[in-house]
Amino acid sequence: MSDYFGKDVFKLGFGLMRLPKLPDGSIDIEQTSVMVDKFLEAGGTYFDTAYVYDNGESEAAIKKALIDRYPRNKFTLCTKLCAWMACHDEESAKQQFFTSLERTGAGYFDYYLLHALQRTNYKKYDEYHIWDFVKEQKAKGLIKYFGFSFHADPDLLDELLTVHHEVDFIQLQINYADWDNPGVASRECYEIARKHGKSITVMEPVKGGALANPPQGVQDIFKAADPKASNASWAIRYVASMDGIITVLSGMSNIAQMEDNLSYMRDFKPLNEAEQQVIRAAQKELKKDNSIKCTACHYCTEGCPMGIAIPEIFAVANAEKLKASWDGGRQAYAIATQGKGKASECLECGQCESACPQHLEIVSLLKDCRKMEG
């Protein structure tokens, strides 16, 4: 592999978007602390959160589980500023940075990202002068390295990296399912980033958990190749084997997931050619899958005027497709939408589609899901 910024970083990053929860819905600090301990003991250093994760509770949780318990030089922390969510003008957008500093108590951020740039929102970062603002914080020593996370087309990525060539790194969605998916364009975006000489942190390597439990045909391929390897291990090692990768973020939700990830990333070995062939076979098999490719990030639900439980509805629809005989999914649908908006209440305003990192045709998909209402 070539030399690049971040080459020596532990190749598994701890994503803090899906932390373990207690029955009341709050983050389980005790379990999170154990996961932090195991991660650091194995040599991990990179923790990734965001201002909007869990309405700010992710940043608050990592203060308790990590920052208050370890010397500052034992870890690196990344968080993000979202100029299109949880703010309404330039002042409130910039305030996210200072609020994140206060919530985490980190003193400074090792890595800092402009959050989830897409065609529908990237101009907000110009309108609010966020690029210059972040560079000012870097000059003050409050940020060591900055960049942006990206969920759009390769042409826009090329444009942004040309205009903002000063960024230190970028964060991309890369996984074997989306490598040649035109809606995500993982391959093209990766190649453009490397063309510009940018190092990459990877989000969604397991596609929101979907590749930890892929279709049975894919599982059979992996099991035949290595009966002891988890499905997630194939997904994470696939991305970590690429050139220019700083670290691969895994949004771990319990100790078991942490232990599984560390079992193969503690002494990480890139995929060999035989294993790459296994991945190619899995990609071919995966093309037969017709499930809704929702990762349950919930960005779509933030501004839904009807409060529709979009990810939950899609999860029920996907579960029904796996059944030998379809029974309508009415009971599961009723549970998933209890106290929330239903598919039939969609106003077709389209805000959900503008926020979706997977570029799903949500309005159309919701129409298909109405049949589960009985």
Side-chain angles (χ1 to χ4, degrees):
M1 298 179 73
S2 65
D3 286 327
Y4 59 88
F5 165 62
K7 180 179 180 181
D8 296 328
V9 175
F10 191 78
K11 291 305 168 210
L12 178 67
F14 192 168
L16 307 172
M17 185 179 183
R18 298 179 174 90
L19 291 173
K21 298 292 183 65
L22 296 169
D24 65 1
S26 63
I27 293 173
D28 185 339
I29 300 299
E30 182 177 352
Q31 187 174 178
T32 301
S33 297
V34 173
M35 294 167 69
V36 164
D37 294 343
K38 289 180 178 293
F39 184 68
L40 291 172
E41 287 168 6
T45 58
Y46 196 108
F47 294 82
D48 173 272
T49 184
Y51 178 85
V52 297
Y53 288 176
D54 265 309
N55 295 315
E57 291 305 311
S58 174
E59 289 185 333
I62 206 57
K63 180 181 190 299
K64 296 175 183 176
L66 170 68
I67 296 164
D68 288 348
R69 300 174 59 237
Y70 284 92
R72 186 63 181 84
N73 63 355
K74 295 296 183 183
F75 60 88
T76 60
L77 182 65
C78 177
T79 195
K80 310 175 189 76
L81 185 158
C82 189
W84 51 276
M85 187 186 296
C87 62
H88 57 275
D89 57 15
E90 182 172 335
E91 181 181 2
S92 59
K94 291 178 177 178
Q95 180 58 40
Q96 290 185 15
F97 174 80
F98 301 108
T99 300
S100 292
L101 275 179
E102 182 179 359
R103 278 179 188 158
T104 62
Y108 63 91
F109 296 115
D110 303 273
Y111 303 91
Y112 199 74
L113 293 168
L114 309 191
H115 197 172
L117 272 67
Q118 303 179 46
R119 283 280 177 190
T120 56
N121 64 39
Y122 78 98
K123 291 182 179 178
K124 279 291 183 185
Y125 293 91
D126 294 312
E127 179 185 341
Y128 293 161
H129 307 102
I130 300 301
W131 297 97
D132 289 336
F133 171 73
V134 171
K135 284 187 280 187
E136 290 169 7
Q137 306 316 310
K138 182 178 179 181
K140 294 175 183 178
L142 296 177
I143 295 171
K144 286 191 175 182
Y145 307 106
F146 87 98
F148 58 91
S149 60
F150 186 77
H151 288 286
D153 57 276
D155 287 345
L156 179 59
L157 180 60
D158 197 29
E159 176 185 334
L160 289 172
L161 288 177
T162 300
V163 174
H164 300 288
H165 55 83
E166 72 279 10
V167 300
D168 299 298
F169 72 112
I170 62 172
Q171 186 161 301
L172 295 176
Q173 176 173 324
I174 306 176
N175 55 67
Y176 69 79
D178 289 323
W179 188 239
D180 289 312
N181 175 0
V184 178
S186 286
R187 180 203 294 269
E188 291 182 77
C189 288
Y190 169 80
E191 291 173 349
I192 287 170
R194 297 304 292 143
K195 179 189 75 172
H196 284 271
K198 301 305 176 186
S199 299
I200 302 162
T201 54
V202 177
M203 57 185 159
E204 303 289 355
V206 193
K207 203 169 173 63
L211 300 183
N213 186 32
Q216 190 59 51
V218 174
Q219 295 190 44
D220 292 342
I221 289 170
F222 289 149
K223 195 63 66 178
D226 186 347
K228 295 181 180 179
S230 67
N231 297 316
S233 73
W234 286 97
I236 291 176
R237 288 182 62 223
Y238 169 73
V239 185
S241 299
M242 296 179 183
D243 188 62
I245 303 299
I246 298 173
T247 197
V248 179
L249 302 171
S250 178
M252 294 168 274
S253 302
N254 54 56
I255 294 171
Q257 290 177 4
M258 173 66 75
E259 290 178 337
D260 176 56
N261 283 344
L262 292 176
S263 70
Y264 54 86
M265 293 301 289
R266 182 182 283 104
D267 298 307
F268 168 66
K269 292 180 176 60
L271 295 180
N272 58 36
E273 179 52 34
E275 291 171 319
Q276 291 284 4
Q277 289 181 8
V278 173
I279 290 290
R280 288 191 283 272
Q283 290 171 319
K284 184 177 180 179
E285 179 68 23
L286 201 59
K287 290 180 180 179
K288 303 174 183 178
D289 176 38
N290 66 345
S291 63
I292 300 171
K293 306 303 188 293
C294 172
T295 65
C297 67
H298 283 88
Y299 290 163
C300 60
T301 61
E302 289 290 330
C304 178
M306 303 307 293
I308 298 173
I310 299 169
E312 291 79 6
I313 290 172
F314 289 168
V316 173
N318 284 340
E320 286 304 306
K321 291 176 182 179
L322 295 176
K323 291 182 178 179
S325 59
W326 187 72
D327 63 7
R330 294 178 180 83
Q331 182 174 353
Y333 180 91
I335 294 172
T337 58
Q338 181 71 34
K340 302 175 183 177
K342 295 177 171 55
S344 59
E345 298 177 77
C346 176
L347 301 176
E348 300 186 21
C349 65
Q351 76 80 31
C352 54
E353 294 185 357
S354 68
C356 178
Q358 309 305 320
H359 308 289
L360 298 177
E361 297 180 355
I362 296 175
V363 173
S364 177
L365 290 168
L366 284 176
K367 288 181 180 177
D368 292 338
C369 291
R370 292 177 183 176
K371 59 187 177 184
M372 294 188 291
E373 295 179 18

